[in-house]
Amino acid sequence: MLTILRRGNKQTSRIVVIAVLVFLWLDLALGQAATHTIKRGETLSVIAKKHGLSALALAAHNGITNPNEVKIGQKLTIPAKTETVNYTIRKGDTLSTIANKYKTTAAAIAKANGIKNPNTIKPGQKLKITIGTAKKTAKPSSTTIASSTLKEINRPRIRRYRWKHIVVHHSADSNNSIRGMEHYHRRVRRMENGLAYHFVIGNGVNTTNGKIYVGDRWKRQLQGGHIGSAALNEIAIGICLVGNFEKTLPTAKQKASLKALVSRLRSRTGIPYNLIYTHRQYHQHKKLKSTICPGRRFSLRNILST
Ligand SMILES: [Zn+2]
């Protein structure tokens, strides 16, 4: 009887141990939500960061509409890795900006929502977004500017209302180097401030593919030399992509860098989206003599909207 009882106990405890292990495994495998009680001095973004989430994702998961209105002692559930939220597209959103907020990718959102063309999304449209799956595995966002470059872009103090437009050019020759362009503008065209553009984006031939070269005219906040009008050179930021886009297309890296650069410059200067032009459009708009720059194969709106 005693031995039987012991055996019974052993079996019972073995079952309990197995059950606990299975439960723990399920808990991990299903990524069951953890909770967090807000402590004094903690903000949503601090808490979110601890869990590898964005503040927005954490707020959305907890139905918090105003992230500034959280209280000490308030309990939050931390979304599991495969948590899905509903998101309504707002004006100005792109799949990439939404993806960045939720630590996922534009491609993942497009796939999950059956979106074939990311340019067709509309404000008010509802999306299901899986949070956090691209946390570590996602490749760096194509809109990332190298930190040393970003510093150069951000460093100059910008006089208020200094810049009104952004104008995009091609160099017309895919073999151009920064030194060559600088030499041409300073020595041949006799521009005392050298390189006529504020920024040049390399194409991988004699410049680094996608690299944003920050020109002296940006660093010193000088007028450009890229427009056929002295008055307009005063108010137009000039960006030149190395290449001849009558013949070839800009590289993917050039496009990504242009988009990122324009976005950074817009937030530094407040230039609205509709005041970004190609050289050709700008000359047309300002009734200056026509130019084919930056070539008929270059589509500014496509680059900026993808
Ligand atoms: Zn041009």
Side-chain angles (χ1 to χ4, degrees), residues 159-176:
R159 216 174 61 233
R160 224 169 158 206
Y161 309 121
R162 172 73 167 95
W163 305 111
K164 304 246 187 316
H165 308 125
I166 297 173
V167 179
V168 181
H169 305 258
H170 72 168
S171 70
D173 182 345
S174 58
N175 293 312
N176 280 133

Side-chain angles (χ1 to χ4, degrees), residues 135-201:
K135 223 168 28 190
K136 291 252 163 68
T137 48
K139 56 179 183 185
S141 159
S142 58
T143 54
T144 305
I145 300 175
S147 65
S148 55
T149 309
L150 201 54
K151 267 186 207 149
E152 291 184 328
I153 298 169
N154 290 338
R155 190 174 295 132
R157 278 190 66 146
I158 303 176
R159 216 174 61 233
R160 224 169 158 206
Y161 309 121
R162 172 73 167 95
W163 305 111
K164 304 246 187 316
H165 308 125
I166 297 173
V167 179
V168 181
H169 305 258
H170 72 168
S171 70
D173 182 345
S174 58
N175 293 312
N176 280 133
S177 66
I178 303 295
R179 267 182 92 181
M181 291 166 82
E182 160 69 25
H183 175 85
Y184 176 73
H185 292 151
R186 192 180 292 277
R187 304 287 167 215
V188 183
R189 301 284 300 276
R190 304 218 166 266
M191 295 183 188
E192 59 170 351
N193 293 318
L195 184 69
Y197 308 105
H198 296 96
F199 302 94
V200 175
I201 301 177

